[in-house]
């Protein structure tokens, strides 16, 4: 009998006679108990008790002893059976251990139990089995961290699972699939639970999760995004292209692409130029020319002599034409008196007949010379006596002044052929230029006196007068098949002379014009700065100015000394020269500067460059708009250029024509005014570069003259073909109005028009009415470039003297707001802007990053510039703001986001906890 804390344990065994039991085999008495099953370590899960088992043979009794104490007999569950193979009795005992028993035990070691088995020869003890309470904590000691790794680089992800009993086992998941290192020698899962990828592959990109588990629970770590990126590499240069002109100075190109390899998953773009250009000189065809005739040969016995010439002055070269005509000539050498066998072959004419013929010839020549002389003297006297009439063709570089945006009615009623129409002029306001010229707080104001509400359809046919035909014929003789026909002499030479003499960027009277300058105070919220009615604006993005700081920024359109003279070669100014500052401006991201231009953009015909004035007041090239650069960004739209800049200073957009097909746009307008107390009426036709700033000169001049706008301004495409511009007046009612002979057609030379550099040119036609009762004028003005395009301006206006007191056609509008700050200056609400940047700035395995945003917003060139920015998405949105500053909604942005969302919904399912920016999040929040 054993005593324990749990009670008494009694051991007894005897047979019927008090000896060994009758059924005991003889071998039982000769062996100790042998354990067939010993108790095993166990874990209590939650509140469920565990069972410990022992099995021994031969055994008369088996009892458990836990933590050094015997377990009460009543807590044992025994079972006995005979082993059929050995014939021995096998005893099996089981006890239950509860969670409470384990928690109540306080000892130097874990809760333990063992079995003690008895036989006739003695006792045997089993191994100790420990009983522990199982658990697994929630938080990992170390979560894996996301990484961006170059291809073939090493990836090491660390993971320390949460504490638990028993110790948790770790598995790695990539995109919810188990990473198996047994099937991939490139992957190593260490005993310390870290994941090592020796050489990263593109397929190794994904979301990695560390999964810890034991018998109690499973725990997931935070997801680590691993991006394997590829830095871009240049392909080989292509071969140089053929010279793009068949004759003269041209360009050759070669290109390379960033595809060896192409940048992937946010990898760096290739640095350097993707296109190289060099000048080339194609040999022009030289047509052959005849030498002088040789001396006549001696008269032959056939009464003929010969002479010859060669095609060597010059000889034809480079596919030039051979000389036209005969290389040899012959004639009779005896004046028809050739003899043969001493007999006359021709009768000799009487001498009296020769004398009479000579007298008649000389008399006729003398009379013709006298008639020509008399005609020349008469014309000179006529022109001298009528010099008060004639033509007013001037270089109007002095014209300047304020400009207000306007539009015109496109429908007119009434009969345009009725000269006594009583309908008064009518013209209402709108916007001619697409870029915002000012901030409008209210309804547009009327800028003009009314024009006749009449629409006259005019066919664009050139009614050639005598002067026009003569001048066109003169120019048609010049060859124009190739460009630039000896560029240095015919084109650049005239351009340089124009720059030095006839026209400068800012003439002497420009100083009287008001300075085009605007200022504003900007802080962290950013804003927009506008020079009214010039097509020039500056966008300061949100966050460009550091918090708790502010800058007084200004923007000026240069109105001082001409700086176009510092340009080189055949370059011309395509828009106003703009300066912004202050010089020490320090911003966190680039600003967006918008400048209107007058070029028809075509990379094959134009070489357009952005230039900046250095400290020595000399122009230096910043970038070519067709090449990629990481220092600034240039986006050319149809009528505006949008620049991303981080250095304040003076900037100008200049262009150099590469072929005759290069085109710049001209704005054409016709104005009229009646001289006080006179029967004369003046028509003034203006030709000016098609930018809002350039048109200000026209407005300023006509405001002082009190002129009336007579027809909707039109656009003329002016070619770089070196041919002049002709302006002619047609269809003047001859029975009502008179115009002096030889003044119906006037002409601007090519350098005057091509190098006008934002300064207006104009010509005037002076008409006289036969009767003061004539109150209507109708005619057509044709503006035509020789071998180029033509536009017709229809004039139909009232000219009665009672109309001269009407208001000037321009009236000042309420356009005084030149700067806006904060959210009202931007189309995109700040909350939406932040969400877009957060979504697209960070590359992920789905490829949804800022590059896709730029592609869908059609801003996917020169991506290397965006890649250098701290927040590429923010800079892309700033450029979008500058480009769409005249739009009233966010449709294009919302459409781009919707398309991006559709692409990724098809490519992969979205994580449940991943925030997604939808297109409908953009438009509803916009309030205009």
């Amino acid at each position: 009998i054993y005593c324990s804390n749990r009670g008494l344990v009694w051991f007894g065994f005897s047979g019927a006679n008090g000896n060994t039991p009758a059924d005991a085999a003889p071998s039982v008495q000769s062996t100790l108990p042998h354990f067939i099953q010993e108790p095993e370590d166990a874990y209590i899960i939650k509140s469920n008790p565990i069972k410990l088992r022992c099995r021994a043979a031969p055994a008369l009794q088996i009892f458990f002893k836990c933590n050094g104490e015997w377990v009460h007999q009543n807590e044992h569950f025994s079972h006995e059976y005979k082993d059929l193979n050995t014939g021995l009795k096998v005893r099996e005992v089981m006890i239950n251990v509860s969670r409470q028993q384990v928690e109540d035990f306080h000892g130097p070691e874990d809760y333990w139990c063992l079995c003690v088995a008895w036989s006739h020869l003695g006792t045997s003890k089993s191994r100790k089995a420990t009983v522990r309470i199982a658990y697994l904590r929630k938080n990992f000691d170390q979560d894996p961290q996301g990484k961006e790794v170059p291809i073939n680089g090493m990836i090491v992800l660390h993971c320390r699972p949460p504490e638990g009993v028993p110790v948790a086992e770790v598995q790695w998941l990539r995109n919810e699939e188990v990473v198996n290192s047994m099937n991939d020698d490139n992957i190593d899962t260490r005993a310390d639970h870290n994941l090592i990828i020796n050489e990263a592959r593109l397929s190794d990109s994904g979301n990695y999760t560390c999964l810890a588990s034991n018998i109690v629970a499973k725990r997931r770590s935070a997801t680590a995004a691993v991006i394997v990126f590829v830095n871009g590499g240049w392909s080989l240069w292509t071969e140089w292209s053929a010279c793009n002109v068949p004759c003269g100075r041209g360009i050759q190109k070669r290109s390379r692409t960033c595809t060896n390899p192409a940048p992937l998953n946010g990898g760096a773009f290739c640095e350097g130029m993707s296109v190289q250009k060099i000048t080339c000189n194609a040999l022009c065809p030289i047509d052959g020319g005849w030498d002088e005739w040789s001396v006549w040969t001696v008269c032959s016995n056939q009464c003929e002599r010969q002479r010859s010439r060669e095609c060597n002055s010059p000889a034809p070269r480079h596919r030039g034409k051979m000389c036209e005509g005969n290389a040899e000539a012959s004639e009779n050498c005896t004046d028809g008196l050739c003899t043969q066998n001493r007999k006359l072959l021709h009768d000799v004419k009487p001498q009296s007949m020769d004398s009479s013929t000579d007298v008649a010839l000389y008399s006729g020549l003398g009379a013709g010379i006298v008639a020509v002389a008399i005609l020349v003297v008469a014309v000179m006297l006529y022109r001298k006596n009528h010099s008060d009439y004639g033509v007013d063709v001037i270089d109007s570089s002095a014209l300047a002044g304020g400009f207000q945006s306007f539009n015109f009615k496109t429908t007119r009623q009434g009969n345009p052929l009725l000269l006594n129409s009583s309908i008064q002029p009518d013209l209402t306001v709108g916007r001619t230029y697409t870029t915002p010229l000012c901030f409008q707080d209210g309804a547009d104001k009327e800028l003009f006196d009314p024009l006749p509400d009449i629409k006259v359809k005019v066919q664009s046919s050139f009614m050639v007068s005598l002067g026009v035909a003569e001048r066109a014929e003169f120019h048609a003789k010049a060859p124009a098949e190739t460009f630039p026909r000896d560029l240095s002499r015919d084109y650049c030479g005239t351009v340089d002379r124009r720059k030095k003499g006839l026209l400068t960027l800012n003439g002497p009277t420009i100083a009287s014009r008001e300075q085009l300058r605007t200022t504003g105070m900007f802080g962290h919220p950013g804003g927009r700065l506008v020079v009214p009615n010039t097509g020039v604006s500056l966008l300061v993005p949100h966050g460009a100015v550091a918090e708790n700081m502010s800058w007084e920024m200004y923007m000026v359109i240069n109105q001082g000394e001409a700086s176009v003279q510092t340009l080189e070669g055949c370059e011309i100014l395509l828009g106003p020269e703009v300066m912004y500052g202050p010089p020490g401006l320090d911003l966190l991201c680039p600003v967006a500067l918008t400048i209107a231009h007058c070029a028809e953009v075509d990379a094959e015909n134009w070489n357009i460059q952005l230039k900046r004035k250095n400290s020595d007041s000399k122009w230096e090239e910043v970038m070519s708009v067709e090449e990629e650069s990481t220092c600034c960004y240039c986006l050319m739209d149809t009528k505006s250029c949008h620049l991303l800049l981080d250095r304040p200073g003076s900037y100008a957009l200049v262009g150099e024509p590469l072929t005759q097909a290069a085109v710049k746009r001209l704005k054409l307008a016709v104005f009229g005014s009646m001289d006080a107390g006179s029967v004369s009426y003046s028509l003034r036709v203006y030709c000016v570069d098609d930018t809002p700033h350039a048109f200000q000169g026209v407005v300023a001049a006509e405001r002082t003259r009190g002129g009336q706008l007579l027809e909707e301004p039109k656009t003329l495409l002016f070619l770089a073909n070196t041919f002049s511009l002709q302006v002619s007046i047609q269809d003047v009612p001859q029975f009502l109005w008179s115009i002096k002979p030889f003044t119906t057609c006037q002409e601007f030379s090519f350098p005057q028009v091509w190098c006008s550099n934002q300064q207006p040119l104009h010509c005037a036609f002076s008409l006289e009415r036969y009767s003061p009762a004539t109150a209507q004028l109708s005619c057509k003005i044709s503006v035509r470039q020789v071998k180029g395009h033509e536009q017709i301006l229809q004039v139909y206006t009232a000219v009665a003297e009672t109309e001269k007191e009407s208001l000037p056609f321009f009236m000042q509008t309420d356009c005084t707001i030149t700067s806006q700050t904060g959210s009202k200056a931007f189309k995109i609400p700040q909350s939406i802007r932040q969400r877009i940047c957060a979504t697209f700035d960070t590359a992920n395995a789905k490829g949804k990053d800022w590059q896709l945003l730029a592609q869908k917003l059609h801003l996917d060139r020169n991506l290397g510039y965006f890649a250098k920015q701290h927040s590429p998405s923010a800079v892309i949105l700033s450029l979008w703001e500058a480009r769409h500053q005249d739009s009233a909604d966010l449709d294009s942005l919302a459409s781009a986001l919707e398309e991006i969302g559709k692409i990724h919904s098809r490519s992969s399912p979205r994580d449940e906890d991943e925030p997604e920016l939808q297109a409908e999040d953009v438009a509803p929040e916009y309030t205009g």
Side-chain angles (χ1 to χ4, degrees):
I1 299 175
Y2 294 89
C3 295
S4 72
N5 293 334
R6 299 190 181 186
L8 298 176
V9 178
W10 176 82
F11 300 96
F13 39 88
S14 64
N17 300 321
N19 298 321
T20 304
D23 57 348
S27 60
V28 172
Q29 300 177 4
S30 61
T31 60
L32 290 174
H34 169 68
F35 283 99
I36 301 174
Q37 179 182 358
E38 296 183 275
E40 297 178 352
D41 297 336
Y43 298 93
I44 295 177
I45 301 174
K46 297 181 180 180
S47 298
N48 299 321
I50 56 95
K51 301 179 185 298
L52 296 179
R53 287 183 172 84
C54 276
R55 190 186 311 160
L60 299 176
Q61 291 291 343
I62 301 177
F63 286 93
F64 274 90
K65 190 175 185 179
C66 295
N67 301 319
E69 299 180 358
W70 295 102
V71 178
H72 194 279
Q73 182 179 0
N74 295 335
E75 297 179 13
H76 289 73
F77 298 93
S78 299
H79 172 65
E80 187 179 62
Y81 62 92
K82 180 182 289 186
D83 189 341
L84 298 179
N85 295 325
T86 62
L88 298 178
K89 285 186 178 181
V90 178
R91 180 174 293 274
E92 180 178 354
V93 178
M94 180 191 70
I95 65 171
N96 292 327
V97 180
S98 67
R99 183 186 183 98
Q100 188 65 40
Q101 289 178 254
V102 177
E103 289 178 347
D104 291 343
F105 173 71
H106 301 287
E109 54 186 354
D110 293 330
Y111 191 98
W112 60 268
C113 294
L114 58 79
C115 293
V116 179
W118 279 266
S119 70
H120 289 94
L121 296 182
T123 62
S124 296
K125 293 182 180 181
S126 69
R127 63 177 293 274
K128 284 184 179 181
T130 60
V131 179
R132 303 174 67 184
I133 298 175
Y135 66 92
L136 184 62
R137 302 198 183 280
K138 292 184 177 181
N139 297 326
F140 278 71
D141 292 343
Q142 182 178 5
D143 285 310
Q145 301 297 317
K147 294 180 179 294
E148 293 185 5
V149 183
I151 195 167
N152 298 325
M154 177 177 286
I155 302 174
V156 179
L157 298 178
H158 299 278
C159 175
R160 292 177 60 189
E163 178 186 352
V165 173
V167 176
E169 297 180 354
V170 171
Q171 279 185 318
W172 284 94
L173 305 179
R174 178 177 61 217
N175 298 330
E176 303 304 321
E177 294 183 0
V178 176
V179 177
N180 191 349
S181 60
M182 301 299 294
N183 299 330
D184 192 343
D185 296 336
N186 194 40
I187 298 177
D188 185 7
T189 53
R190 298 292 182 88
D192 56 4
H193 310 307
N194 294 336
L195 175 66
I196 298 177
I197 301 177
N198 297 312
E199 293 185 359
R201 301 155 297 192
L202 289 176
S203 60
D204 293 324
S205 296
N207 296 320
Y208 285 79
T209 306
C210 183
L211 181 64
S213 61
N214 64 7
I215 60 176
V216 179
K218 292 183 179 182
R219 301 283 187 256
R220 293 170 61 96
S221 70
T223 299
V226 173
I227 298 174
V228 180
F229 62 85
V230 179
N231 292 324
W234 287 115
S235 65
L236 296 177
W237 287 103
T238 61
E239 296 295 330
W240 287 105
S241 66
C243 199
N244 68 332
V245 295
C247 169
R249 181 173 177 266
I251 60 170
Q252 288 179 280
K253 296 181 182 179
R254 68 173 183 174
S255 61
R256 57 180 179 175
T257 57
C258 191
T259 56
N260 188 30
L264 292 174
N265 297 336
F269 284 83
C270 304
E271 295 186 359
M273 299 297 183
S274 61
V275 178
Q276 283 186 342
K277 297 181 182 179
I278 58 173
T279 58
C280 56
N281 287 293
L283 297 176
C284 296
I286 299 176
D287 295 338
W290 290 112
D291 289 339
E292 294 293 332
W293 286 101
S294 64
V295 179
W296 287 104
T297 62
V298 178
C299 192
S300 68
N301 56 4
Q302 299 298 325
C303 300
E304 287 186 346
R305 60 179 181 177
Q306 289 85 27
R307 64 177 181 175
S308 62
R309 58 181 178 175
E310 294 184 356
C311 189
N312 286 327
S313 294
R317 297 197 302 272
H318 314 314
R319 307 175 308 280
K321 297 179 181 178
M322 292 294 294
C323 301
E324 294 182 359
N326 297 322
E328 295 181 350
S330 62
E331 67 176 9
N332 188 283
C333 53
T334 61
D335 292 331
L337 299 179
C338 184
T339 61
Q340 186 174 3
N341 299 325
R342 299 184 180 272
K343 294 182 180 179
L344 287 176
L345 298 181
H346 303 282
D347 292 336
V348 180
K349 293 181 181 179
Q351 183 176 1
S352 59
M353 184 179 295
D354 293 342
S355 300
S356 61
T357 302
D358 293 342
V359 170
L361 175 62
Y362 293 137
S363 299
L365 290 176
I369 292 173
V370 171
V372 171
I374 294 174
L375 179 61
V376 171
V377 172
V379 171
M380 293 179 63
L381 291 176
Y382 177 85
R383 296 186 63 180
K384 181 177 181 181
N385 293 334
H386 296 79
S387 61
D388 53 332
Y389 299 102
V391 185
D392 179 18
V393 181
I394 65 172
D395 178 359
S396 304
S397 61
L399 301 177
F403 170 62
Q404 305 298 331
S405 58
F406 58 87
N407 198 354
F408 303 89
K409 291 184 177 179
T410 58
T411 59
R412 302 180 180 179
Q413 294 81 27
N415 187 352
L417 301 179
L418 296 177
L419 298 181
N420 60 349
S421 174
S422 60
I423 301 176
Q424 299 300 320
D426 179 30
L427 184 63
T428 56
V429 69
R431 284 184 174 84
T432 298
Y433 298 98
T434 59
T435 54
L437 304 182
C438 66
F439 297 116
Q440 295 289 351
D441 283 344
D444 293 330
K445 306 295 189 300
E446 293 189 358
L447 303 182
F448 300 92
D449 272 354
L451 273 177
D453 194 18
I454 301 168
K455 183 64 177 180
V456 181
K457 294 184 178 180
V458 181
Q459 298 297 327
S460 180
S461 59
F462 188 67
M463 307 297 292
V464 182
S465 63
L466 176 60
V468 178
E470 291 174 349
R471 298 185 185 210
E473 181 181 357
F474 171 78
H475 286 287
K477 295 177 181 179
E481 291 79 6
T482 58
F483 181 82
R485 303 185 309 162
D486 189 358
L487 185 65
S488 60
R489 183 186 65 207
D490 294 344
Y491 180 77
C492 296
T494 58
V495 170
D496 292 340
R497 290 194 298 273
R498 181 61 176 162
K499 292 176 181 177
K500 295 178 181 179
L502 296 176
L503 181 66
T504 57
L505 176 60
N506 298 297
T509 60
I510 293 298
S512 63
R513 192 197 288 187
E514 293 182 3
Q515 187 179 36
L516 295 179
R517 177 188 177 98
T518 182
T519 61
M521 187 67 69
F522 297 96
H524 188 70
R528 197 188 301 267
L529 201 61
V530 170
V531 181
N533 311 310
T534 62
V536 176
S537 65
L538 183 73
L539 184 138
V540 182
H542 177 89
V545 179
E547 294 188 24
N548 303 322
M549 287 190 64
S550 63
W551 286 92
E552 182 180 8
M553 299 178 62
Y554 62 82
M555 189 164 54
V556 179
I557 296 181
N558 182 27
Q559 301 290 87
E561 292 295 328
S563 57
V564 72
Q565 295 175 354
T566 64
L567 299 178
E568 299 176 355
C570 306
E571 295 173 342
I572 63 171
L573 200 61
L574 299 179
E577 175 190 338
V578 180
M579 176 175 65
Y580 82 92
L585 186 63
D586 185 16
L587 299 179
L588 302 179
C589 62
V591 299
L593 177 64
T594 298
I595 303 175
H597 67 81
C598 61
E600 286 291 297
V601 181
D602 186 346
E604 295 298 324
N605 300 321
W606 279 104
N607 178 24
I608 300 177
Q609 297 177 342
L610 176 66
K611 293 202 173 186
R612 184 178 187 275
K613 191 182 292 184
N614 59 22
S615 57
D616 297 330
S617 296
K618 294 182 179 179
W619 289 105
E620 59 183 10
E621 180 182 350
V622 178
M623 68 173 294
S624 173
V625 298
E626 292 299 323
E627 297 176 355
E628 296 188 354
S629 172
T630 56
C631 65
C632 61
Y633 190 100
C634 182
L635 174 64
M636 293 293 293
D637 277 343
T638 305
K639 292 189 176 182
S640 294
C641 173
H642 308 287
L643 307 171
L644 294 177
L645 305 170
D646 54 11
R647 291 182 58 191
S650 295
Y651 292 88
L653 198 66
V654 300
E656 178 184 9
L658 301 178
T659 69
Q660 284 192 16
V663 174
K664 83 167 185 175
R665 299 186 308 276
L666 298 179
K667 182 67 70 175
L668 309 178
V670 57
F671 297 84
S673 61
M674 193 77 181
D675 297 338
S678 172
V679 294
S680 298
Y681 190 81
S682 177
L683 292 177
R684 293 176 294 278
V685 182
Y686 290 85
C687 304
V688 62
D689 291 351
D690 186 17
T691 63
H693 168 258
F695 202 76
Q696 290 193 19
V698 177
V699 176
E702 288 302 319
R703 183 184 290 116
T704 59
R705 295 183 179 184
Q708 295 279 343
L709 183 68
L710 303 182
E711 169 64 317
E712 175 182 351
K714 295 184 178 180
T715 301
L716 177 71
L717 302 181
F718 191 76
L719 294 168
N721 60 6
T722 72
F723 288 102
S724 60
L725 186 71
Q726 295 176 342
V727 183
S728 64
I729 185 169
Q730 306 167 15
D731 298 345
V732 178
Q734 300 296 325
F735 55 92
L736 297 176
W737 295 88
S738 66
I739 185 170
K740 294 301 179 180
F742 306 109
T743 64
T744 58
C745 182
Q746 303 177 35
E747 185 168 341
F748 293 112
S749 67
F750 175 81
Q752 279 182 299
V753 182
W754 189 257
C755 302
S756 58
N757 290 308
Q758 304 291 296
Q759 301 305 315
L761 304 173
H762 91 269
C763 64
F765 298 97
S766 180
L767 295 90
E768 290 186 1
R769 51 184 174 177
Y770 291 115
S771 170
T774 301
Q776 301 288 339
L777 171 63
S778 65
C779 62
K780 289 189 290 188
I781 303 294
S782 171
V783 183
R784 169 183 178 270
Q785 184 186 16
V786 177
K787 295 191 176 182
H789 299 276
E790 178 191 19
Q791 276 287 13
I792 297 292
L793 298 173
Q794 179 70 38
V795 175
Y796 186 78
T797 183
V799 296
E801 291 194 26
T802 56
E803 298 295 324
K804 67 183 180 181
E805 301 296 334
S806 61
L807 293 174
F809 68 95
F810 281 104
M811 298 179 63
Q812 185 66 35
T813 62
D814 184 17
C815 187
T816 58
I817 304 175
T818 59
S819 67
Q820 286 185 331
T821 59
S823 59
K824 61 183 179 181
F826 302 100
K827 304 292 183 185
I828 307 174
Q830 181 57 26
S831 59
I832 296 298
R833 183 186 181 93
Q834 291 175 346
R835 291 183 62 188
I836 293 176
C837 294
T839 302
F840 293 101
D841 271 348
T842 303
N844 55 51
K846 299 178 181 179
K848 184 174 63 178
D849 58 8
W850 60 266
Q851 299 176 51
L852 184 59
L853 178 65
Q855 177 186 349
K856 296 305 177 183
L857 294 180
H858 308 292
L859 302 173
D860 53 343
R861 61 174 300 273
N862 197 9
L863 294 181
Y865 176 82
F866 297 126
K868 296 290 185 180
Q869 304 301 321
H870 175 70
S871 174
S873 299
V875 178
I876 292 172
L877 294 179
S878 296
L879 187 58
W880 184 92
E881 287 269 7
R883 192 179 193 182
H884 296 82
Q885 55 186 302
D886 59 327
S887 301
D889 55 53
L890 298 173
D891 287 348
S892 63
L893 180 60
S895 298
L897 294 177
E898 182 179 5
E899 187 173 351
I900 293 173
K902 290 179 179 178
I903 292 175
H904 290 284
S905 64
R906 293 192 301 265
S907 62
S908 61
R910 183 171 61 90
D911 293 342
E912 294 180 0
D913 56 350
E914 178 185 347
E916 186 78 13
L917 182 65
Q918 301 294 340
E920 56 267 20
D921 297 335
V922 178
E925 192 165 337
Y926 174 68
T927 60

